[in-house]
Amino acid sequence: MPQTDKQICIPPELPELLKQFTKAAIRTQPQDLIQWAAEYFGAMSRGEIPPIRERSERVALSNWAELTPELLKILHSRVAGRLIIHTDELAQMWKVLNLPTDLFNSVMNVGRFTEEIEWLKFLALACSSLGVTIAKTLKIVCEVLSSDHDGGPARIPFSTFQFLYTYIAEVDGEISASHVSRMLSYIEQEV
């Protein structure tokens, strides 16, 4: 094979880019590296947060990442404002983040979702796996949905809160509709 005298020009940002990618891959430990790399570089090219496990997140003893509000926030950014998402697409996003398949299936079963998933309902049920109580679940879902970065309380539109609270209470089955209505009226007056 003949050699050429041409020098290969390496872009100056390439070594740092590859170093950051490698560190992210090691930290995240994706099951499907190629798919995860496509998601990683796709997010970077769109100026979004790439699907990286943060240092503060505890590494699970299994091959699965633990569900965290931070990972749900990444998932929410990937859904990109859509109200409805197809099951296969959401399952792929879940897989790229290396989240437990059994948890995905559990949320699907509890929500009785089929081919088309109402994203906010799925998100609320996923948050409920992190929160012991409805109040804690609502706090987590507000943190995931909030775009406030000032360190204050997470804020979402009241109509969104009303929808989520009503849905979670309905799924829970132990809170009467009249109690939900009274609680929402009280909160709306306070806001």
Side-chain angles (χ1 to χ4, degrees):
M1 184 171 191
Q3 286 197 354
T4 62
D5 291 338
K6 288 188 177 181
Q7 289 275 346
I8 296 174
C9 186
I10 298 173
E13 64 274 4
L14 183 61
E16 182 61 25
L17 178 74
L18 291 176
K19 177 181 172 186
Q20 294 305 317
F21 168 76
T22 303
K23 287 168 61 176
I26 291 168
R27 195 175 313 136
T28 304
Q29 297 289 308
Q31 284 192 321
D32 184 341
L33 181 62
I34 302 297
Q35 180 62 41
W36 179 84
E39 289 285 326
Y40 177 91
F41 286 114
M44 295 291 286
S45 71
R46 293 185 302 273
E48 297 173 357
I49 300 169
I52 302 170
R53 182 184 305 159
E54 296 299 320
R55 281 192 182 125
S56 62
E57 295 177 38
R58 186 168 62 86
V59 176
L61 296 176
S62 70
N63 289 334
W64 300 108
E66 288 186 35
L67 184 64
T68 64
E70 293 78 19
L71 287 172
L72 284 172
K73 200 166 187 80
I74 291 170
L75 196 60
H76 180 63
S77 74
R78 302 246 181 275
V79 172
R82 292 178 283 170
L83 298 177
I84 305 290
I85 185 165
H86 196 272
T87 300
D88 294 339
E89 184 181 1
L90 185 56
Q92 183 60 35
M93 290 178 188
W94 192 270
K95 181 182 176 188
V96 166
L97 290 173
N98 207 30
L99 294 170
T101 304
D102 59 337
L103 179 56
F104 180 83
N105 293 334
S106 176
V107 171
M108 291 293 292
N109 288 334
V110 170
R112 297 186 176 112
F113 299 115
T114 55
E115 294 299 311
E116 304 266 311
I117 298 171
E118 286 185 66
W119 168 243
L120 288 179
K121 288 182 176 182
F122 182 93
L123 179 63
L125 292 177
C127 288
S128 75
S129 72
L130 301 173
V132 178
T133 64
I134 288 179
K136 179 71 174 163
T137 297
L138 288 167
K139 182 178 185 296
I140 293 167
V141 78
C142 286
E143 289 169 357
V144 170
L145 292 174
S146 178
S147 56
D148 294 342
H149 300 292
D150 62 4
R155 296 178 302 208
I156 62 171
F158 179 74
S159 59
T160 303
F161 180 86
Q162 182 177 23
F163 173 79
L164 293 168
Y165 179 55
T166 303
Y167 177 68
I168 293 169
E170 180 184 298
V171 170
D172 180 75
E174 294 187 17
I175 301 172
S176 70
S178 62
H179 179 78
V180 170
S181 181
R182 284 192 311 272
M183 192 65 154
L184 288 170
S185 293
Y186 173 77
I187 294 169
E188 188 173 28
Q189 289 173 4
E190 294 297 310
V191 175

